[in-house]
Amino acid sequence: MNNRILANAIRFLSIDAVNKANSGHPGAPMGMADIATILWREFLKHNPKNPNWFNRDRFVLSNGHGSMLLYSLLHLSGYKLSIEDIKNFRQINSLTPGHPECDITDGVETTTGPLGQGLANAVGMAIAEKNLAGEYNKVGHELIDHHTYVFAGDGCLMEGVSHEACSLAGTLKLNKLIMFYDMNSISIDGNINGWFTEDVPGRFKSYGWNVIKNVNGHDFVNIRNAIKSAKHEKSKPTIICCKTVIGYGSPKYQGTNAAHGAPIGPDEADIVRKRLGWKNKPFIIPQEIYKSWDATVKGVKLEGHWDKKLEKYKKLYKKDYQELRRRIKNQVPSRVISSLDKCMLKNHKPMATRKSSQVVMTSFGQNMPELIGGSADLKGSNLSYYDDMSIFSPNNPAGKYIHYGVREFGMSAISNGIHLHGAMRPFASTFLIFSEYTKNAIRMSSLMKLPIIYIFTHDSIGLGEDGPTHQAVEQISSLRLVPDLDVWRPADTQETAAAWKHALLNQGRPSAFALTRQTLNELPKTKTQSTNMNKGGYIIYGKSNSPDGIILASGSEVSLAVKAAQELGDKKLDIRVVSMPCQELFDRQPASYKNKCIPKDFDNILAVEAAKGDSWYKYIGKKGSMITVETFGLSGTGNDVMKHFGFTVNNVKKEIKKLINKNR
Amino acid sequence: MNNRILANAIRFLSIDAVNKANSGHPGAPMGMADIATILWREFLKHNPKNPNWFNRDRFVLSNGHGSMLLYSLLHLSGYKLSIEDIKNFRQINSLTPGHPECDITDGVETTTGPLGQGLANAVGMAIAEKNLAGEYNKVGHELIDHHTYVFAGDGCLMEGVSHEACSLAGTLKLNKLIMFYDMNSISIDGNINGWFTEDVPGRFKSYGWNVIKNVNGHDFVNIRNAIKSAKHEKSKPTIICCKTVIGYGSPKYQGTNAAHGAPIGPDEADIVRKRLGWKNKPFIIPQEIYKSWDATVKGVKLEGHWDKKLEKYKKLYKKDYQELRRRIKNQVPSRVISSLDKCMLKNHKPMATRKSSQVVMTSFGQNMPELIGGSADLKGSNLSYYDDMSIFSPNNPAGKYIHYGVREFGMSAISNGIHLHGAMRPFASTFLIFSEYTKNAIRMSSLMKLPIIYIFTHDSIGLGEDGPTHQAVEQISSLRLVPDLDVWRPADTQETAAAWKHALLNQGRPSAFALTRQTLNELPKTKTQSTNMNKGGYIIYGKSNSPDGIILASGSEVSLAVKAAQELGDKKLDIRVVSMPCQELFDRQPASYKNKCIPKDFDNILAVEAAKGDSWYKYIGKKGSMITVETFGLSGTGNDVMKHFGFTVNNVKKEIKKLINKNR
């Protein structure tokens, strides 16, 4: 069947769904329908009957507002997405939300909408593919062998994250990454000539990409040849620059920003119908069009071929096969868990918790090949690697450590993509303050329920001389605000091991660690304390059931609090200290346990944390008090700065005594 | 005097200060000393005796870790920075903190350290210069006429924000912006060939920059010729690509990442002394070197010339002169204040608060030429412009609206630069959710005490169909965490006018507005209420001094709360509603006022805000309760989503009754 007709099926599903919802973005689907038709029907290796087939090509719609393009493709190809679902576009609890969400709709590879990040996700997927191929493929047994295709528009390419991800993709020679750049010259504010005049092909050439210029995005032969050529590329990612018309087919809106983000309305839809020769009513797709689009038979066959390959592989490389299978199922090896359990009990010497994290990683890293990640150019500072961790590079595609360069946002969005690919457990690291450079990618990890591990070191004013630009103050509380993110601020190596264990066992939520630059003492723990450490918060000091006061603390402030409590104990003041390495995990405990640590209606509660204190109000109530950092930090030695802000044993003693007197 | 000797003065001040502090970054100052010597001694137009001389060239050290380079330059040139200050490098409360801070040290134009942002600040300064020149210069009276120079390293150029800012700089043809790219091929993790292989000259060519390649950063003639050539450029910003050796002069460390961020130590310092022929002890600079470096006489003369120009200008263009003077002093015109006062009292029709903001801007915009800003490609959505606001462009340099393109981080860091230049009041706008793309630049506004106005619209799940990727949930609480940032979430047009008034009158802190997409009713107010609106929180409903319950609400939830209170009033339940458009401003009120609104020890407090609730705990205590959004949002109509999360009059009534019963 004529490709134009097949593409028009996408156009009209999109027009009609947006019209029905009275909300949405018809312009991109209308403009990119022709490209999508060629790619999906002639090249994309996928199986609508099994959206999770491991060796499928990945497809990312980075310009996620064009969601109806993707929903149309899924519906037409035979995925579990009915015409009723299409009619429910943008309605509450539908399978067709305003932007594509990968945990809602089968066949959606990643949640997109925040511009540029889909592109970075695709880079991550291509890294995962290259890494797995490097590790598991054998000569004649290319088990992992697929492409990652991504659609991106001008909006994506204006975003800084596109620079970070694409520059790195060039360095890493991700030749199986193919981007379609939708050059429609329009963004929301109008024709881009007032704000986006860069020579995009030249820019990608400078990144070391294979650049295919001047493709007419409405010419099927042109598109087909470009994809063929891109697939032949052996050492570079490819950008196919496709000139398209936004809102293609609508005399009133095409080529203008009016086509971007609003329904074209039923009258204009009728005009487009006439113009494009589409005789079908809204949401009616003739059977022959469905038949031409149907990819289920081909898909089952493709997966079947691969299954046979897999069978052969299984026989020859049983151990590799089993390991890959385990990884695809996201099973954490039991030997990793037992290493972590040991770390949680061992009596470690004093060290910075960033170092603790490295000790912990080293205890299990070699046993967990799915652990992959790196740092944004702070390897020696973040210490987020284990001994002998090899470097991922074009010459060593099986390497596990990624030198991300100074690209925090790119790193995190790439990590999301690596995990989305499957069989991978990515981590990402930088200074805690620079979590701000990548804030929305962390949120996207949470929204997509991806258990990314964020290792943030240099977690407070305690880092010292680098000063306020580098000292985290409000970042811990800020991370605690992200729904479904576990934020750990461990007090010693044992708590750091607990953080790692929970992070690895978490399958549906990311974790962020806030780790010190400065050395911390190991806190001795009873067996009960070691157990309760796994509850996010626990009594680290004090045995009485009716203490005079309670100090809540995390990370570097726990030993300070314990020392203050000990000294006050000598003076007959009974102070309990609760170490709270993870508020979110503590909050998920039964009320009975929480009450044992922090009795309801107890007044004399002092929170001590070298950070902005907002996240402690819920525990201390209006009668409690805090020693926190409510302003920006200061440049000076770590000790001087800590002292300046009141983080001394004497000040903690003074404040808890003051509090007890006040509430007396 | 020999330039090499003059440059070595920088090198040794840097080596010795870092050694003494036992902390810091000697590599960049040692590598860029030669470039800095030529630029500062032969080209930079500045007056050390008056660091605020308005027409000085701006100099930005985007690689801020190299702070000792800048401190050395300031000290040697004759700024108020003594050798004692240099010896106090990185000590608490010194004038020489670890990274340069513009509110601490005279002559530091911007606070840098977070990589890439200094570069974007410089783009902002160049925009400000072009804009002011466009507005105030007359033929033969080029009052505003200076360059902006910026040093940047590989780290800055890897960051996404460098892409956003530099791509825009090319489009805007900022020819008086000159960047020195320190091509030392080293970043913290080592030689960049593993993570940064892009062709930077090619990349900047694609941005439309004038690229001067292959400059030897240790060859004075080379450097001089490059700067001369760059200054002749009439339509493009210039990048001068300088090949340098990090840690130049140290046999042990030069050319390696070991030179980057740690003292070289006294022994190696001695070796460098011998090698470079520097015979002076630490912190000893011979008088003849000071004399050669001294820029004070030249500086006073330069400013004197400009003062004469200014005198002539004053006579011919008195009104312009006065206006510019007013702007330089940061005085808000009284006619602007009176427009805002009127807006605060007028009875407006119902509208979305994003529209309210536009109505308010239109009331005073034409009277405030220093107001400049734009949106990250969401002009029609953010509505952050006033009627007839002209577009800033190469052909209309006096324009006030900046089409930033989809570049949130670049926009905000550029806004910081625009304000730092002086005589400007920048604003920046995008969807509230995308405040996350630019989080650290907002923090930098606060840290630098710059009263930038952030206009964030589409402030909650109330935006509807675009779904969870676009619905702000935790962002309001997160912004409230930033020290010294005023976060406004107004409930109607009058409160929006109050937000604008306070934002404009704030001179030492930024403001962020969270504005709705959806229509809100105007709340009728008594005179007292209209006055108290200026206190950040005030009783909007309820007259009794002993209410049964208190509802705290902001923005779109205030009218909901008032309606619930009214209906409960009919049933003899006495509910007070406190509208809280700005928690920070409320918190700064005297305790007596705060107690009048929210009595201390009052239990029955319900907070209602369509956002994550954490920032309300401090008001409600452990006995209060909340109707908030604790998970991610949902795609659906705004009404459906609001209802789903419990934002209905009935649910508010139910919850406050439940609370009163619980605490009974």
Side-chain angles (χ1 to χ4, degrees):
Chain A
M1 179 166 286
N2 183 315
N3 279 315
R4 190 72 62 195
I5 295 173
L6 297 173
N8 286 343
I10 297 172
R11 289 195 172 92
F12 286 98
L13 283 174
S14 302
I15 290 170
D16 295 333
V18 172
N19 273 350
K20 182 160 189 298
N22 199 23
S23 164
H25 300 77
M30 293 166 78
M32 295 195 83
D34 297 324
I35 304 167
T37 299
I38 297 298
L39 174 67
W40 275 60
R41 290 195 65 257
E42 302 181 16
F43 294 92
L44 196 76
K45 206 171 65 179
H46 64 134
N47 180 8
K49 292 289 171 204
N50 179 14
N52 298 320
W53 171 35
F54 197 72
N55 196 43
R56 69 192 181 279
D57 287 337
R58 292 345 186 236
F59 174 80
V60 173
L61 185 76
S62 190
N63 44 351
H65 51 269
S67 54
M68 267 313 304
L69 174 66
L70 182 50
Y71 297 145
S72 301
L73 289 163
L74 294 173
H75 171 68
L76 293 166
S77 302
Y79 284 78
K80 229 190 270 168
L81 199 70
S82 69
I83 196 73
E84 288 308 310
D85 294 322
I86 301 286
K87 287 182 189 168
N88 276 325
F89 181 53
R90 293 188 155 231
Q91 302 311 299
I92 204 161
N93 293 322
S94 73
L95 291 181
T96 45
H99 290 83
E101 297 181 44
C102 61
D103 56 325
I104 288 186
T105 317
D106 277 354
V108 171
E109 298 282 3
T110 175
T111 300
T112 50
L115 292 175
Q117 286 189 69
L119 189 46
N121 296 161
V123 171
M125 293 173 188
I127 287 175
E129 196 266 354
K130 204 173 195 76
N131 188 254
L132 285 166
E135 187 159 8
Y136 292 100
N137 286 359
K138 317 284 177 186
V139 178
H141 298 271
E142 281 74 27
L143 213 54
I144 312 295
D145 178 24
H146 69 79
H147 282 82
T148 300
Y149 298 101
V150 51
F151 281 12
D154 291 300
C156 288
L157 296 190
M158 283 186 250
E159 290 287 3
V161 68
S162 72
H163 165 62
E164 298 182 9
C166 295
S167 174
L168 186 63
T171 298
L172 296 176
K173 300 189 191 296
L174 304 176
N175 63 304
K176 287 162 104 176
L177 174 66
I178 299 175
M179 186 208 310
F180 295 83
Y181 165 37
D182 184 30
M183 292 179 79
N184 63 26
S185 302
I186 296 294
S187 68
I188 296 179
D189 280 359
N191 190 298
I192 56 172
N193 56 23
W195 47 89
F196 191 53
T197 56
E198 68 183 41
D199 163 26
V200 173
R203 171 181 160 204
F204 277 77
K205 191 162 171 279
S206 83
Y207 292 158
W209 284 48
N210 171 36
V211 178
I212 302 179
K213 287 204 268 194
N214 300 323
V215 172
N216 178 342
H218 302 295
D219 179 322
F220 299 110
V221 177
N222 235 216
I223 299 163
R224 184 180 298 121
N225 289 339
I227 302 175
K228 276 186 190 163
S229 154
K231 287 186 72 177
H232 280 116
E233 173 59 47
K234 294 294 174 222
S235 67
K236 295 173 177 179
T238 293
I239 178 172
I240 303 177
C241 303
C242 303
K243 189 76 207 141
T244 68
V245 176
I246 190 172
Y248 179 96
S250 160
K252 190 168 168 191
Y253 297 116
Q254 72 178 11
T256 77
N257 56 337
H260 167 80
I264 65 168
D267 294 347
E268 182 71 4
D270 283 346
I271 294 169
V272 183
R273 278 187 155 74
K274 272 185 204 133
R275 185 151 164 168
L276 298 185
W278 187 258
K279 297 197 163 48
N280 313 297
K281 293 234 161 90
F283 304 108
I284 302 296
I285 304 287
Q287 276 312 312
E288 66 271 24
I289 293 183
Y290 272 126
K291 217 174 137 191
S292 272
W293 262 109
D294 185 14
T296 56
V297 176
K298 196 175 144 199
V300 169
K301 205 186 279 179
L302 278 167
E303 185 169 355
H305 282 305
W306 190 73
D307 283 342
K308 278 180 202 151
K309 258 188 166 172
L310 193 65
E311 277 305 307
K312 282 187 201 156
Y313 186 95
K314 183 178 172 179
K315 278 176 195 150
L316 289 164
Y317 312 102
K318 195 165 175 192
K319 226 176 128 184
D320 284 318
Y321 168 83
Q322 285 171 334
E323 192 65 352
L324 181 61
R325 224 178 110 94
R326 177 189 66 71
R327 288 176 59 172
I328 292 174
K329 287 186 184 167
N330 269 326
Q331 290 166 335
V332 180
S334 57
R335 58 193 187 279
V336 168
I337 302 298
S338 64
S339 299
L340 289 165
D341 286 339
K342 260 183 225 159
C343 272
M344 284 167 61
L345 292 171
K346 198 179 152 186
N347 189 13
H348 304 272
K349 62 178 191 204
M351 65 184 98
T353 47
R354 61 177 172 147
K355 180 73 192 165
S356 305
S357 173
Q358 189 185 28
V359 166
V360 174
M361 284 182 88
T362 298
S363 80
F364 73 84
Q366 297 281 9
N367 286 326
M368 197 172 183
E370 61 268 44
L371 193 75
I372 183 170
S375 153
D377 199 42
L378 291 168
K379 189 179 182 186
S381 298
N382 298 145
L383 300 176
S384 53
Y385 59 95
Y386 52 81
D387 288 353
D388 301 321
M389 193 174 185
S390 69
I391 309 296
F392 176 76
S393 74
N395 296 326
N396 184 33
K400 300 296 173 191
Y401 186 87
I402 301 174
H403 275 291
Y404 280 108
V406 193
R407 301 179 178 102
E408 298 82 6
F409 196 5
M411 168 177 69
S412 307
I414 286 170
S415 300
N416 287 337
I418 292 175
H419 193 278
L420 285 162
H421 182 278
M424 293 290 191
R425 287 303 303 267
F427 65 87
S429 49
T430 182
F431 290 154
L432 178 56
I433 191 74
F434 298 125
S435 63
E436 297 202 340
Y437 270 54
T438 179
K439 199 69 197 292
N440 196 254
I442 302 172
R443 184 179 208 255
M444 292 303 292
S445 307
S446 274
L447 180 59
M448 290 193 270
K449 306 184 170 66
L450 307 178
I452 312 298
I453 300 170
Y454 291 99
I455 303 171
F456 295 130
T457 70
H458 295 61
D459 74 339
S460 77
I461 51 167
L463 68 85
E465 292 90 344
D466 272 350
T469 55
H470 283 57
Q471 291 165 351
V473 170
E474 69 275 32
Q475 286 63 34
I476 297 170
S477 273
S478 183
L479 287 169
R480 287 179 183 140
L481 290 172
V482 182
D484 302 327
L485 172 69
D486 278 359
V487 182
W488 286 85
R489 189 164 184 261
D492 62 10
T493 306
Q494 293 177 349
E495 286 192 6
T496 307
W500 264 104
K501 182 178 169 184
H502 284 267
L504 288 176
L505 291 177
N506 274 341
Q507 295 294 347
R509 59 172 75 226
S511 300
F513 303 162
L515 306 174
T516 64
R517 177 189 183 217
Q518 71 273 28
T519 298
L520 303 185
N521 285 321
E522 196 71 10
L523 294 157
K525 294 176 198 70
T526 64
K527 212 171 163 185
T528 311
Q529 287 172 327
S530 292
T531 306
N532 287 341
M533 192 164 69
N534 291 293
K535 296 177 179 166
Y538 63 105
I539 300 171
I540 184 76
Y541 182 82
K543 284 176 186 153
S544 130
N545 283 324
S546 55
D548 298 311
I550 299 178
I551 305 178
L552 310 178
S554 85
S556 44
E557 286 66 68
V558 177
S559 46
L560 190 70
V562 169
K563 209 159 178 201
Q566 283 168 339
E567 293 187 12
L568 289 171
D570 295 343
K571 304 211 165 157
K572 310 287 174 228
L573 212 55
D574 180 2
I575 304 297
R576 172 186 297 176
V577 178
V578 174
S579 176
M580 186 81 92
C582 182
Q583 291 190 355
E584 296 75 18
L585 180 57
F586 179 76
D587 293 347
R588 293 198 294 273
Q589 301 304 314
S592 58
Y593 176 76
K594 288 188 278 190
N595 260 314
K596 259 184 211 159
C597 297
I598 311 171
K600 232 181 134 185
D601 303 324
F602 189 84
D603 287 339
N604 301 331
I605 307 178
L606 175 71
V608 185
E609 186 171 59
K612 199 131 194 293
D614 301 55
S615 46
W616 295 96
Y617 280 112
K618 61 179 166 180
Y619 303 117
I620 67 167
K622 286 185 180 180
K623 296 202 166 165
S625 133
M626 296 188 194
I627 303 174
T628 52
V629 181
E630 298 300 313
T631 61
F632 292 108
L634 271 177
S635 174
T637 68
N639 279 340
D640 282 354
V641 178
M642 284 298 234
K643 208 173 144 188
H644 175 92
F645 282 97
F647 295 94
T648 62
V649 174
N650 278 341
N651 192 46
V652 174
K653 281 158 63 182
K654 201 183 91 189
E655 284 298 320
I656 186 84
K657 282 194 286 186
K658 208 166 84 183
L659 181 64
I660 293 169
N661 283 330
K662 195 194 78 179
N663 288 330
R664 189 155 282 164
Chain B
M1 178 165 286
N2 183 315
N3 278 316
R4 190 73 63 195
I5 296 174
L6 297 174
N8 285 345
I10 297 173
R11 290 196 172 93
F12 286 97
L13 283 174
S14 302
I15 290 171
D16 295 332
V18 172
N19 273 351
K20 181 160 191 296
N22 198 24
S23 165
H25 301 78
M30 292 166 78
M32 295 194 84
D34 297 324
I35 303 167
T37 299
I38 297 299
L39 175 66
W40 276 60
R41 289 196 63 258
E42 302 183 14
F43 294 91
L44 196 75
K45 206 172 65 179
H46 64 134
N47 180 9
K49 293 290 171 202
N50 179 15
N52 297 320
W53 170 35
F54 197 71
N55 196 42
R56 70 193 181 276
D57 287 336
R58 293 340 188 238
F59 175 81
V60 173
L61 185 77
S62 190
N63 45 350
H65 51 270
S67 54
M68 267 313 303
L69 174 66
L70 182 50
Y71 297 146
S72 301
L73 289 163
L74 294 173
H75 170 68
L76 292 166
S77 303
Y79 283 79
K80 228 190 269 168
L81 200 70
S82 69
I83 197 74
E84 287 309 310
D85 294 322
I86 301 286
K87 287 181 189 169
N88 277 324
F89 180 53
R90 293 188 155 233
Q91 304 310 301
I92 204 162
N93 293 322
S94 72
L95 291 182
T96 47
H99 289 84
E101 297 180 44
C102 61
D103 54 326
I104 288 185
T105 317
D106 278 354
V108 171
E109 298 281 3
T110 174
T111 300
T112 51
L115 293 176
Q117 287 188 70
L119 189 45
N121 296 160
V123 171
M125 292 173 189
I127 287 175
E129 196 265 355
K130 207 176 194 71
N131 188 253
L132 285 167
E135 189 161 5
Y136 291 99
N137 287 359
K138 317 285 177 186
V139 179
H141 299 270
E142 281 73 27
L143 213 54
I144 312 295
D145 178 22
H146 68 79
H147 282 82
T148 300
Y149 297 102
V150 52
F151 281 13
D154 290 302
C156 289
L157 296 191
M158 283 187 248
E159 291 286 5
V161 67
S162 72
H163 165 61
E164 297 182 9
C166 295
S167 173
L168 186 62
T171 298
L172 296 177
K173 301 189 190 298
L174 303 176
N175 63 303
K176 288 163 102 175
L177 174 67
I178 298 175
M179 187 208 309
F180 296 82
Y181 165 37
D182 183 31
M183 294 179 78
N184 63 27
S185 301
I186 296 294
S187 68
I188 295 180
D189 280 359
N191 189 297
I192 56 173
N193 56 24
W195 48 89
F196 190 54
T197 56
E198 68 183 41
D199 163 26
V200 173
R203 172 181 159 204
F204 276 77
K205 191 162 171 279
S206 84
Y207 293 158
W209 284 48
N210 171 36
V211 179
I212 302 178
K213 285 204 269 196
N214 301 323
V215 171
N216 178 342
H218 302 297
D219 180 321
F220 299 110
V221 177
N222 236 214
I223 299 163
R224 185 177 299 122
N225 289 339
I227 302 175
K228 275 187 191 163
S229 154
K231 287 187 70 176
H232 281 117
E233 173 59 48
K234 295 292 175 222
S235 66
K236 295 172 176 179
T238 293
I239 177 172
I240 302 176
C241 303
C242 303
K243 188 77 206 141
T244 67
V245 177
I246 191 172
Y248 179 96
S250 159
K252 191 165 167 192
Y253 297 115
Q254 71 178 14
T256 78
N257 55 336
H260 167 80
I264 65 169
D267 295 347
E268 182 71 5
D270 284 346
I271 295 169
V272 183
R273 278 188 155 71
K274 272 186 204 132
R275 185 150 163 167
L276 298 184
W278 185 259
K279 299 198 161 53
N280 312 297
K281 295 234 163 89
F283 304 108
I284 301 296
I285 304 287
Q287 276 312 311
E288 65 270 25
I289 294 183
Y290 272 126
K291 215 175 138 191
S292 272
W293 262 109
D294 185 14
T296 56
V297 176
K298 196 172 142 200
V300 169
K301 207 187 275 177
L302 278 167
E303 186 170 354
H305 281 307
W306 191 73
D307 283 341
K308 277 181 203 150
K309 257 189 170 174
L310 192 65
E311 277 306 307
K312 281 187 202 156
Y313 186 94
K314 183 178 171 180
K315 277 177 199 152
L316 289 164
Y317 312 103
K318 195 164 176 193
K319 229 177 127 183
D320 284 316
Y321 168 83
Q322 285 172 336
E323 191 66 352
L324 181 61
R325 223 179 112 95
R326 176 189 66 71
R327 289 175 58 172
I328 292 174
K329 287 187 183 167
N330 270 325
Q331 291 167 334
V332 180
S334 57
R335 59 194 187 275
V336 167
I337 302 299
S338 63
S339 299
L340 289 163
D341 286 339
K342 260 183 225 160
C343 272
M344 285 167 63
L345 292 172
K346 198 179 153 186
N347 190 14
H348 304 271
K349 61 178 190 202
M351 64 184 100
T353 48
R354 61 177 170 146
K355 180 71 190 164
S356 304
S357 173
Q358 189 185 28
V359 165
V360 174
M361 283 182 89
T362 298
S363 81
F364 73 83
Q366 296 282 9
N367 286 326
M368 197 172 181
E370 61 267 45
L371 193 76
I372 183 170
S375 153
D377 200 41
L378 290 168
K379 189 179 182 185
S381 298
N382 297 145
L383 300 176
S384 54
Y385 59 94
Y386 53 81
D387 286 354
D388 301 320
M389 194 174 183
S390 69
I391 309 297
F392 176 76
S393 75
N395 296 325
N396 184 33
K400 300 297 173 188
Y401 186 87
I402 301 174
H403 275 290
Y404 280 108
V406 192
R407 301 180 177 102
E408 297 82 5
F409 197 4
M411 169 177 69
S412 305
I414 287 171
S415 299
N416 286 337
I418 293 176
H419 194 278
L420 285 162
H421 181 280
M424 293 290 192
R425 286 304 302 269
F427 65 88
S429 49
T430 182
F431 289 155
L432 178 57
I433 191 74
F434 298 125
S435 62
E436 296 202 338
Y437 270 55
T438 179
K439 200 68 195 293
N440 196 253
I442 301 173
R443 184 179 208 256
M444 292 304 291
S445 307
S446 273
L447 180 57
M448 291 193 269
K449 306 185 170 65
L450 308 178
I452 312 297
I453 299 170
Y454 291 100
I455 302 169
F456 295 131
T457 70
H458 295 60
D459 73 339
S460 78
I461 52 168
L463 68 85
E465 291 90 344
D466 273 349
T469 55
H470 283 58
Q471 290 165 352
V473 169
E474 69 274 34
Q475 287 62 36
I476 296 170
S477 273
S478 183
L479 287 169
R480 287 180 183 140
L481 290 171
V482 181
D484 302 327
L485 171 69
D486 278 0
V487 182
W488 285 85
R489 190 165 182 260
D492 62 9
T493 306
Q494 292 177 350
E495 286 191 8
T496 308
W500 265 105
K501 182 179 169 182
H502 284 267
L504 288 177
L505 290 178
N506 274 342
Q507 295 294 346
R509 59 173 74 224
S511 301
F513 304 161
L515 306 174
T516 64
R517 178 188 183 219
Q518 72 273 27
T519 298
L520 304 184
N521 285 322
E522 195 72 10
L523 295 156
K525 296 177 196 71
T526 63
K527 212 172 163 184
T528 310
Q529 286 171 327
S530 293
T531 305
N532 287 342
M533 191 164 72
N534 291 294
K535 296 176 180 167
Y538 63 106
I539 301 171
I540 183 77
Y541 182 83
K543 283 177 188 155
S544 128
N545 283 324
S546 55
D548 298 311
I550 298 178
I551 305 177
L552 310 178
S554 84
S556 44
E557 286 66 69
V558 177
S559 46
L560 190 70
V562 169
K563 209 159 177 198
Q566 283 168 338
E567 293 186 12
L568 289 170
D570 295 343
K571 302 207 168 161
K572 309 287 172 229
L573 212 55
D574 180 5
I575 305 297
R576 172 186 298 177
V577 178
V578 174
S579 176
M580 187 81 93
C582 181
Q583 290 190 354
E584 297 74 19
L585 179 57
F586 180 75
D587 292 348
R588 293 199 294 272
Q589 301 304 314
S592 57
Y593 177 76
K594 289 189 278 189
N595 261 314
K596 258 183 215 161
C597 297
I598 311 172
K600 235 180 132 184
D601 304 325
F602 189 85
D603 286 340
N604 301 331
I605 308 178
L606 175 71
V608 185
E609 186 172 61
K612 199 131 192 294
D614 301 56
S615 46
W616 296 96
Y617 280 112
K618 61 180 166 179
Y619 303 117
I620 67 167
K622 287 183 178 180
K623 299 205 164 163
S625 136
M626 295 189 197
I627 302 173
T628 52
V629 182
E630 298 300 314
T631 63
F632 293 107
L634 271 178
S635 174
T637 68
N639 278 340
D640 283 354
V641 179
M642 283 298 236
K643 207 173 144 188
H644 174 92
F645 282 96
F647 295 94
T648 61
V649 173
N650 278 341
N651 192 46
V652 174
K653 280 158 64 183
K654 201 183 92 189
E655 284 299 320
I656 186 83
K657 281 193 285 185
K658 207 166 86 184
L659 180 65
I660 293 168
N661 283 329
K662 195 194 79 181
N663 288 330
R664 188 155 282 165

